[in-house]
Amino acid sequence: MARQRIVVIEDEPDILAFIDYNLAREGFAVSSAADGEAGLRLVRREKPDLVVLDLLLPGLDGIEVCRRLKADPATRNLPIIMVTAKGEESDVVLGLGVGADDYVTKPFSPKELIARIRAVLRRSAMAGAEPPAGRLVYGGVVIDPTRHEVRVDGNGVPFTATELRLLHVLASSPGRVFTRDQLVPRVIGNGAVVIDRNIDVHVRAIRKKLGPYRYLIETVRGVGYRFHDAEASAEPA
C-alpha cells in the first residue's frame, strides 16, 4: 500500500526538521519547502494527500498560499492544516476562512499534530464515501452537501468541508442544543485532539459567511450551540 504523502511548508529549520522527523516515523512520505512560492511549486508537483502550512512565511505567507491552492481546481479539495505561532482567534478565523481544514498552535506535541493529520485525512476520505445528505433551505440560506455548496440570498459562499459539515449538522436538527463534545465527533472526527475553542472558531467563521442570517446559529451559554428553531424546508438530495 502506497504511503500517504504530506507536504510541509515551514520556514523555521528546527520546527521543519521536527515535523519531518515525526511524520516520517509515523510512516508518511514527507516533502518540505521553506517558503510559500517553493511550497506552491512542490504541492503542484507532488500532488500530496495533505499540506501542513505555516501561517507566517517569508514572501508569500500561508494565508495567500492557502487561498491560491483553494482557487485552483487541481488542489481545491486538498486538506490543509494551518500552523500558527500566534494562537490568536483572529488569525485562526482568517486561516479557516480561506479554506484551511484545521489548525495547530505552536508549540505543539508530535502526538497532537499526528492526531490532527490522521483525523483530517480520515474526514477527507469519508467525504467521498458518505451517502448524499439532504438539501436544506432556511429562508435565504440553501445548504447543499451533495454539491458542497452554500448559497446566501442566491449567491454562492465558499465553505470548507469542516464548516459545511458543522452547519449541516446544526441545521438538520433545528432547536436541538449540541454541546461541543457532541459536535466534535460529528464534525472533527473521533481521533482528533481538539484544542480549546476549535468548534467556537468554526462557528464564528460560519456566522461571518452567513451575513444577515448569522442569527440562525444561536449560542446557548454554558452548553453549546443550536440552529434557530424556525421552519425549514428539507429537500431530497
Side-chain angles (χ1 to χ4, degrees), residues 22 42-43 61 72 75 124-125 127 134 150 164 168 172 180-181 185 212:
N22 283 283
L42 183 62
V43 169
D61 66 20
D72 185 343
T75 53
S124 178
V150 177
L164 181 60
H168 195 267
S172 296
R180 293 166 181 80
D181 288 343

Side-chain angles (χ1 to χ4, degrees), residues 16-236:
L16 180 58
F18 169 80
I19 295 174
D20 283 357
Y21 171 78
N22 283 283
L23 292 182
R25 190 175 65 173
E26 290 293 320
F28 294 105
V30 186
S31 302
S32 58
D35 64 75
E37 292 285 1
L40 278 174
R41 293 194 297 269
L42 183 62
V43 169
R44 288 163 178 161
R45 183 175 70 247
E46 296 283 343
K47 298 178 174 60
D49 298 288
L50 181 142
V51 174
V52 176
L53 175 63
D54 189 25
L55 179 67
L56 300 177
L57 293 169
L60 201 64
D61 66 20
I63 295 297
E64 184 58 28
V65 171
C66 186
R67 184 178 287 115
R68 293 190 187 187
L69 290 175
K70 293 300 180 179
D72 185 343
T75 53
R76 182 174 299 157
N77 297 319
L78 177 63
I80 297 174
I81 294 180
M82 193 76 76
V83 178
T84 172
K86 294 183 178 180
E88 296 177 357
E89 187 172 296
S90 59
D91 298 303
V92 173
V93 170
L94 186 58
L96 295 174
V98 296
D101 294 88
D102 204 351
Y103 69 96
V104 291
T105 303
K106 299 176 185 176
F108 51 83
S109 69
K111 182 178 179 180
E112 178 185 1
L113 178 62
I114 297 300
R116 287 187 172 279
I117 287 173
R118 294 198 187 282
V120 170
L121 287 170
R122 182 170 58 252
R123 194 162 71 240
S124 178
M126 288 172 58
E130 291 176 345
R135 183 172 180 265
L136 299 173
V137 180
Y138 279 84
V141 177
V142 179
I143 308 163
D144 192 343
T146 305
R147 301 178 62 182
H148 192 89
E149 180 180 80
V150 177
R151 303 189 73 81
V152 177
D153 288 334
N155 299 311
V157 180
F159 272 65
T160 68
T162 300
E163 290 168 357
L164 181 60
R165 188 185 295 269
L166 175 55
L167 178 60
H168 195 267
V169 167
L170 292 170
S172 296
S173 302
R176 175 182 172 182
V177 178
F178 289 89
T179 67
R180 293 166 181 80
D181 288 343
Q182 289 172 328
L183 289 170
V184 166
R186 290 174 170 85
V187 177
I188 305 297
N190 287 305
V193 178
V194 180
I195 63 180
D196 290 345
R197 305 189 71 184
N198 189 294
I199 291 293
D200 297 4
V201 168
H202 284 296
V203 166
R204 179 173 173 180
I206 292 170
R207 281 174 170 158
K208 183 176 181 180
K209 293 180 180 183
L210 290 178
Y213 301 98
R214 61 184 293 116
Y215 69 87
L216 287 173
I217 300 182
E218 301 174 340
T219 299
V220 181
R221 295 193 180 280
V223 183
Y225 297 100
R226 69 181 169 207
F227 204 80
H228 186 64
D229 192 5
E231 185 175 354
S233 171
E235 303 175 2

